[in-house]
Amino acid sequence: RFAAVTGKRRCLGAAALFLCLWSAACSRAVTGSCEFDPTSVSLEAVARVVDGDTLHLENGDKVRLVGINTPEIGRGGEASEPLAEQARVALVQLVDSARAVRVVDGKMARDRHGRRLGHIYDQDGASLVAQLLADGWGFHVAVAPNFTHLDCFQAAEQRARTAGLGVWSEPALAVRRVQQLTPGEGGFERVAGTVTRVSFKENGWWIQLDGKVGLQIKHADQARFDRSQLRVSEGEFLEARGWLVPMRGDWWLMNVSHPAMLTWGGFAR
């Protein structure tokens, strides 16, 4: 999907990162419900920041930040997604010279890769994810059961979206229509289309977008959704975010565990 980043784009991205990191508008001012008592959790030393949403600790733990998905850094000869390196540098700056963070494990403490799923705070108890979202370095994701700070994260993302910061002004990361998907592709996407069918089955509730993308709401997650709203949603326009899985028969599956992953209404960046 993503072409190699041109030199011009790299220069513009670097300039934007410099201005953001050193301006008052991008200071660590995201507070409110994202904060917690810093004395309740000890600091853990950071060995390396891998990308905008992953870091390694000195104790050997690999930590995936809960609540955000940032552009991927290319590996194995693949090109990085736009703003991936800028997102990594932004996290490096937030970790700051102390090279230590406070980690609170999510309700689901490990992902399928064995990484710790953690809420990450600085020495003073401010959420690093909230700051990354507010500065536009990634997209908010709500994946069951790790919903701590959900409202705060949504507000932080909206601040960046309204201002057109970072990922919200990058054309290659814009929401895509279902018709723009190509067979076999997968990974994190924001995809939009018309609801063509809604069904309530034993294997989950299903929302079909343009007959090609099936949004699955599993039984354990259904209480968070309004079934009556879904029943009358056919014909409405819907944007969904999450991880697309290509399926046999030329369609895609996306699991959705919280309404925060859905945006009803008009087509927008």
Side-chain angles (χ1 to χ4, degrees):
R1 171 185 173 184
F2 297 100
V5 181
T6 64
K8 180 179 179 180
R9 177 177 286 167
R10 283 196 296 268
C11 290
L12 290 173
L17 176 63
F18 178 83
L19 290 172
C20 181
L21 291 175
W22 295 105
S23 70
C26 288
S27 65
R28 297 187 214 181
V30 177
T31 57
S33 62
C34 280
E35 290 189 333
F36 88 120
D37 178 7
T39 64
S40 64
V41 179
S42 299
L43 285 167
E44 299 190 55
V46 175
R48 182 167 72 97
V49 173
V50 178
D51 54 30
D53 56 36
T54 310
L55 51 80
H56 293 176
L57 302 179
E58 290 285 1
N59 64 9
D61 286 348
K62 300 177 181 179
V63 182
R64 173 64 163 85
L65 278 60
V66 169
I68 190 171
N69 190 71
T70 62
E72 297 292 331
I73 290 180
R75 293 177 176 81
E78 294 186 358
S80 295
E81 293 178 357
L83 301 181
E85 179 59 22
Q86 290 93 325
R88 187 192 71 82
V89 173
L91 181 54
V92 169
Q93 294 288 337
L94 289 175
V95 170
D96 68 34
S97 59
R99 301 293 295 178
V101 294
R102 302 185 192 276
V103 183
V104 177
D105 290 335
K107 290 184 178 180
M108 178 181 289
R110 299 274 176 176
D111 67 8
R112 61 189 178 89
H113 303 293
R115 298 176 298 185
R116 285 176 69 182
L117 296 174
H119 298 279
I120 310 298
Y121 308 88
D122 66 13
Q123 297 182 80
D124 300 320
S127 168
L128 302 192
V129 166
Q131 190 62 58
L132 290 168
L133 290 170
D135 291 344
W137 298 123
F139 299 103
H140 173 233
V141 291
V143 181
N146 294 336
F147 299 135
T148 300
H149 302 320
L150 186 144
D151 291 342
C152 180
F153 288 166
Q154 284 186 299
E157 180 189 77
Q158 187 57 48
R159 171 177 152 183
R161 188 170 191 165
T162 300
L165 300 177
V167 297
W168 299 105
S169 62
E170 171 52 61
L173 300 175
V175 61
R176 301 170 72 195
R177 295 295 297 264
V178 171
Q179 295 84 350
Q180 294 176 301
L181 300 176
T182 57
E185 71 173 304
F188 182 82
E189 291 283 355
R190 291 188 305 129
V191 62
T194 301
V195 176
T196 50
R197 185 180 181 185
V198 177
S199 56
F200 304 94
K201 301 180 178 180
E202 290 186 3
N203 67 342
W205 296 354
W206 292 85
I207 306 170
Q208 189 177 98
L209 298 182
D210 291 328
K212 287 291 187 179
V213 173
L215 308 177
Q216 183 185 31
I217 304 172
K218 295 181 178 179
H219 179 76
D221 304 314
Q222 291 167 6
R224 302 185 192 99
F225 293 81
D226 185 341
R227 180 168 177 153
S228 62
Q229 178 195 20
L230 297 180
R231 279 187 179 279
V232 297
S233 64
E234 290 186 10
E236 292 193 29
F237 199 78
L238 175 63
E239 174 192 324
R241 62 179 70 186
W243 285 265
L244 280 177
V245 180
M247 308 296 287
R248 291 182 181 179
D250 192 24
W251 67 283
W252 289 265
L253 167 69
M254 179 185 289
N255 287 309
V256 181
S257 58
H258 195 282
M261 302 289 271
L262 305 177
T263 303
W264 298 90
F267 187 74
R269 182 180 296 281

